[in-house]
Amino acid sequence: MVDRANGAPRPADIRNVVLVGGSGSGKTTLVDAMALAAGAVNRVGRVEDGTSLSDYDEIEQRRHRSVQLSVVPVRWGGVKVNLIDTPGYADFVGELRAGLRAADAALFVMSAADGVEGVGGVSRALWEECASVGMPRAIVLTHLDTARAGFEEMTQTCQALLGGDSAENVLPLHLPVYGPAAADGHRPATGLTELLEQRVADYSTGERRWVPGSPDNEALIEQARDRLIEGIIAESEDETLMDRYLAGEAIELSTLVTDLERAVVRGSFHPVLFAAPAAGDGHQGLGTVELLDLVTAGFPTPIEHAVSAVHTSDGSEPVTLRCDPDAELAAEVIRTSADPYVGRISLVRVFSGTLHADDTVHIRGHGRDADHAAEDRIGGVTAPFGKEQRPLDEAVAGDIACVSKLGHAETGDTLSGTASPLLIEPWRMPDPLLPTAVRAHSKADEDKLSQSLARLVAEDPALRVENNDRTGQLVLWSLGEAQRDVALERLRSRYGVSVDIEDYRVALRETFADRSTGRGRHVKQSGGHGQYAVCDIEVEPAAEGSGIEFVDKVVGGTVPRQFIGSVEKGVRAQAARGVTTGYPLVDVRVTLVEGKAHSVDSSDAAFQTAGALALRDAADRSGTDLLEPIARVAVRVPDEHLGAALSDLSVRRARILGTEPAEAGRTSIRAEVPEAELAHYAVDLRSLTHGVAQFTREYLRHDRVPTALAGRFRNGSASTTS
């Protein structure tokens, strides 16, 4: 049997709800307020001092910001509600997408404190994240106690930004009731009017109580109610309902509520609500009860969330998993964290079957480098609740739980039964495009650095570690500076590894611009066996991508056959080291035309040295050109920022290939950009477009560095500070 104190008896009694929204919108405070209203806690915590249920990590306490996904389960009306709090800052979109995979519906939290001007781009981008996975959504307005924007104004903003072609699918379920004006003239909300039920809830005492409505706003309420009813009927499966309503027939409340709940579950109707934290400990926050009612009655159960998997043992066609505790096990690791006492903890969403303590499970996943598979025995099964881990006997299909001691499991991996291994396709992760070159601070740090970075990447797939063999640097790729700083802070505090940040270098190369000749003469006599080798070469530019071509045109045996390969080996070794700047030499044809040898003193080593000297001599005579890497870049930008994005790319020496319409309101820019100009582009583009533009990059080729910039590159200042 399931531990009913923390688990759930059946999937129909579970709701998995993710809270998404911009940074500072009040998601974490709302989670605490809902937990308080549900009786799970007796006070609302504070984000800034780390007493909130979600932001308890020491890094979150220092930064006053959520940086990781967290789960807070509460119970309401016999239903277990897993509230999934996600970071709002763009650097942690990987955590957001993990929350979307774990959830069956979303509460989209928008702060009125940001005003109409401050919610546009970021809100729309997050809304599209939810829409891309077909997530049913409701909108919660917070911070209505600020004077910058009112409920009506913010509702209109939601309709304009998020309603798509029709604003009639984004409508409020309640209207705020305002109290007496404060000293600054602002009237705080003290209650709400339920439009469908036509009743007023007063929260001024800290508890919800029903009070008579005021006749002052009857016309406004009636207008809002009519619009809500029309919006619900428009989404109804009963095609006769609208005709009956327009004919003046009164539609039963139960019919409207049922149709509303069905439309929300389908994701075709998005109710607007509002909430505010309680004024004191033990008090119910404004709108939190109504929010919990909507979640339990109007949001889908896990049974209605279909997920596909494939049998990895026989490679069969995808199968739709049944949210049935008695079916075969299929679960997915949503996030991974490390506990100093317990070890690795995996947060898991169970899609099918039942997960028991001490089960042996098959682990399968898509790593960044290669697919991996293993079998492991899990430790305990627990329910997360802030800092606490509450023991469970088992986690049934549809629930979210933590399991310990899965040493081989990474974020995104599938857990299944050993007899029938399964694989769930992981959620789409953004490419980390901000490079940071790091090096170990000390020898002790160097010994632990590689393993510690691997653990960080296993926890957060939005990070990537690269050993760049072309520059010799260890590079940490992240989505932005905030994610990078958190990763380095965790590296230091959790694993005891300190690193220094160094300039990130692009992989420059050099080549010959013109034909040249060179002589390599290596003659030494120091008693005993001497060294004697002379070779003459011709060097000319070759086709792009050809590397180093070596041609033998020696006639008359001036260079003995056994030493031709020695000359080639010396030329290639010198080309790899570079000839004038220290960057590798590429795309040249080297022709050995003649040379001299000694019957006693010539050797393989002597001709290798002569070949290297000849190449350097040819470079000294004609000079070389620097080549820089060029990336193919695609930027997807809102139309209102198109001009600024194009101007910025021009400053970065981009070659614009064209623009074309993307989805509604966006344009895709295709360009070729030097990689040296892209080191900070992830941060700069976000700043330029208020966090709503995206871009991809891939290596294309190497091109010659413009003459005006060649001096800067040769002096080593082409690197960029990470």
Side-chain angles (χ1 to χ4, degrees):
M1 292 293 292
V2 179
D3 179 358
R4 292 174 180 267
N6 300 314
R10 55 197 182 104
D13 294 331
I14 301 173
R15 303 291 185 275
N16 296 309
V17 182
V18 61
L19 285 82
V20 300
S23 183
S25 60
K27 300 182 300 298
T28 300
T29 302
L30 182 58
V31 168
D32 279 10
M34 293 173 71
L36 176 64
V41 295
N42 55 18
R43 63 184 296 271
V44 174
R46 289 165 51 88
V47 173
E48 53 267 31
D49 59 20
T51 58
S52 66
L53 289 172
S54 299
D55 286 347
Y56 57 86
D57 183 271
E58 60 179 12
I59 295 177
E60 293 175 320
Q61 295 175 21
R62 286 195 292 269
R63 294 176 177 270
H64 301 168
R65 171 195 294 162
S66 297
V67 300
Q68 63 185 16
L69 174 151
S70 61
V71 179
V72 175
V74 301
R75 287 189 173 273
W76 187 257
V79 174
K80 180 183 181 183
V81 181
N82 289 315
L83 299 171
I84 306 168
D85 187 17
T86 62
Y89 198 68
D91 280 15
F92 306 104
V93 68
E95 298 280 333
L96 167 65
R97 289 178 177 171
L100 294 179
R101 173 57 66 89
D104 305 307
L107 288 176
F108 193 85
V109 184
M110 181 181 290
S111 171
D114 292 332
V116 176
E117 300 81 7
V119 298
V122 174
S123 298
R124 186 167 59 186
L126 290 172
W127 187 265
E128 291 170 357
E129 287 281 348
C130 298
S132 66
V133 295
M135 186 72 65
R137 283 147 284 158
I139 300 165
V140 185
L141 302 181
T142 59
H143 300 155
L144 287 177
D145 54 342
T146 62
R148 290 182 58 184
F151 175 78
E152 294 78 9
E153 190 176 15
M154 291 302 297
T155 300
Q156 293 171 6
T157 300
C158 292
Q159 292 169 341
L161 289 175
L162 314 176
D165 295 334
S166 174
E168 299 306 316
N169 59 2
V170 179
L171 293 170
L173 297 185
H174 315 124
L175 292 183
V177 174
Y178 297 102
D184 60 358
H186 178 62
R187 298 177 61 195
T190 59
L192 57 86
T193 299
E194 295 187 348
L195 294 177
L196 288 182
E197 292 83 354
Q198 293 180 291
R199 55 183 182 174
V200 177
D202 178 62
Y203 280 86
S204 60
T205 62
E207 297 289 339
R208 184 178 74 168
R209 58 191 182 93
W210 303 112
V211 299
S214 170
D216 296 343
N217 298 320
E218 284 185 358
L220 178 63
I221 293 172
E222 192 62 32
Q223 181 182 5
R225 185 174 190 272
D226 289 343
R227 192 176 179 191
L228 174 61
I229 292 175
E230 291 176 5
I232 294 172
I233 292 176
E235 300 296 334
S236 175
E237 297 176 355
D238 185 350
E239 298 179 355
T240 68
L241 204 58
M242 181 62 77
D243 293 335
R244 291 160 49 194
Y245 176 73
L246 294 177
E249 180 179 338
I251 308 300
E252 292 184 358
L253 178 62
S254 59
T255 300
L256 293 173
V257 171
T258 300
D259 284 342
L260 170 64
E261 294 171 355
R262 288 174 178 170
V264 172
V265 167
R266 289 197 307 269
S268 60
F269 187 86
H270 312 294
V272 180
L273 302 92
F274 56 92
D281 294 347
H283 291 180
Q284 292 177 333
L286 173 63
T288 52
V289 172
E290 288 73 20
L291 196 51
L292 287 165
D293 285 341
L294 173 70
V295 166
T296 54
F299 278 176
T301 70
I303 300 172
E304 300 166 275
H305 184 185
V307 175
S308 294
V310 295
H311 288 280
T312 58
S313 55
D314 57 11
S316 59
E317 292 296 319
V319 294
T320 300
L321 301 175
R322 293 185 298 114
C323 188
D324 181 353
D326 297 324
E328 59 186 13
L329 176 65
E332 192 169 21
V333 179
I334 301 304
R335 80 174 315 272
T336 310
S337 60
D339 185 276
Y341 304 104
V342 180
R344 180 173 291 191
I345 296 178
S346 302
L347 182 67
V348 172
R349 163 70 193 261
V350 184
F351 290 103
S352 174
T354 301
L355 191 63
H356 302 88
D358 298 324
D359 276 350
T360 298
V361 296
H362 181 85
I363 303 170
R364 184 67 183 266
H366 296 295
R368 284 200 178 273
D369 298 323
D371 292 355
H372 56 272
E375 290 188 1
D376 237 337
R377 183 179 179 181
I378 67 175
V381 179
T382 58
F385 192 84
K387 297 179 181 180
E388 302 178 26
Q389 294 291 329
R390 299 178 175 180
L392 292 173
D393 292 329
E394 56 189 9
V396 301
D399 208 354
I400 299 174
C402 288
V403 297
S404 59
K405 300 183 180 179
L406 286 181
H408 295 92
E410 301 178 2
T411 300
D413 284 0
T414 302
L415 310 182
S416 58
T418 55
S420 183
L422 296 170
L423 177 64
I424 301 173
E425 189 67 25
W427 56 91
R428 183 173 56 90
M429 294 295 295
D431 289 329
L433 296 173
L434 178 68
T436 302
V438 298
R439 65 173 181 268
H441 182 70
S442 66
K443 181 62 171 66
D445 295 317
E446 186 176 350
D447 295 338
K448 299 184 291 182
L449 179 58
S450 178
Q451 184 179 13
S452 300
L453 284 173
R455 290 177 177 174
L456 282 180
V457 172
E459 295 176 16
D460 187 354
L463 293 171
R464 178 165 59 90
V465 176
E466 173 195 19
N467 276 299
N468 193 317
D469 55 0
R470 295 180 296 174
T471 63
Q473 290 187 308
L474 179 63
V475 182
L476 177 66
W477 291 84
S478 60
L479 297 176
E481 292 174 324
Q483 185 196 28
R484 176 200 64 189
D485 293 345
V486 166
L488 296 182
E489 194 170 346
R490 282 190 175 140
L491 195 66
R492 181 176 60 255
S493 62
R494 183 179 295 173
Y495 301 111
V497 178
S498 296
V499 297
D500 298 321
I501 295 178
E502 60 183 13
D503 288 349
Y504 169 72
R505 300 191 297 271
V506 296
L508 297 176
R509 299 172 183 172
E510 58 180 339
T511 192
F512 278 66
D514 300 303
R515 186 184 182 93
S516 182
T517 61
R519 163 167 280 201
R521 186 175 185 276
H522 184 60
V523 178
K524 286 188 177 181
Q525 289 291 339
S526 56
H529 236 328
Q531 300 180 50
Y532 189 94
V534 178
C535 62
D536 293 302
I537 62 173
E538 295 177 352
V539 184
E540 57 187 326
E544 180 183 328
S546 59
I548 303 295
E549 297 181 22
F550 185 84
V551 180
D552 170 24
K553 286 190 177 181
V554 174
V555 294
T558 56
V559 176
R561 289 285 98 192
Q562 67 267 31
F563 296 134
I564 300 295
S566 302
V567 175
E568 180 180 359
K569 188 181 297 184
V571 166
R572 291 187 181 278
Q574 185 64 57
R577 294 191 297 268
V579 289
T580 59
T581 62
Y583 301 118
L585 178 72
V586 296
D587 301 341
V588 294
R589 181 180 297 108
V590 179
T591 303
L592 177 62
V593 293
E594 61 179 340
K596 295 180 181 180
H598 189 278
S599 59
V600 175
D601 293 340
S602 291
S603 64
D604 170 70
F607 271 98
Q608 284 192 45
T609 302
L613 291 172
L615 188 63
R616 288 161 55 184
D617 182 51
D620 289 340
R621 295 185 187 208
S622 69
T624 58
D625 285 350
L626 278 178
L627 302 176
E628 62 177 332
I630 305 297
R632 180 188 290 113
V633 174
V635 186
R636 191 167 59 92
V637 61
D639 292 343
E640 60 266 28
H641 300 296
L642 177 60
L646 288 171
S647 298
D648 180 70
L649 285 171
S650 297
V651 173
R652 298 176 188 274
R653 301 189 283 129
R655 176 172 171 251
I656 306 298
L657 301 179
T659 61
E660 54 193 32
E663 65 270 22
R666 291 179 183 262
T667 298
S668 178
I669 306 171
R670 293 178 293 108
E672 295 176 0
V673 189
E675 287 191 3
E677 306 292 344
L678 292 175
H680 289 273
Y681 189 54
V683 176
D684 296 340
L685 180 64
R686 180 181 300 164
S687 175
L688 186 69
T689 63
H690 306 294
V692 296
Q694 298 173 331
F695 81 102
T696 60
R697 59 183 282 181
E698 60 177 324
Y699 170 76
L700 183 60
R701 64 177 182 275
H702 270 68
D703 270 355
R704 281 175 168 76
V705 174
T707 304
L709 298 177
R712 176 167 66 92
F713 277 68
R714 291 181 189 277
N715 294 332
S717 58
S719 57
T720 54
T721 303
S722 300

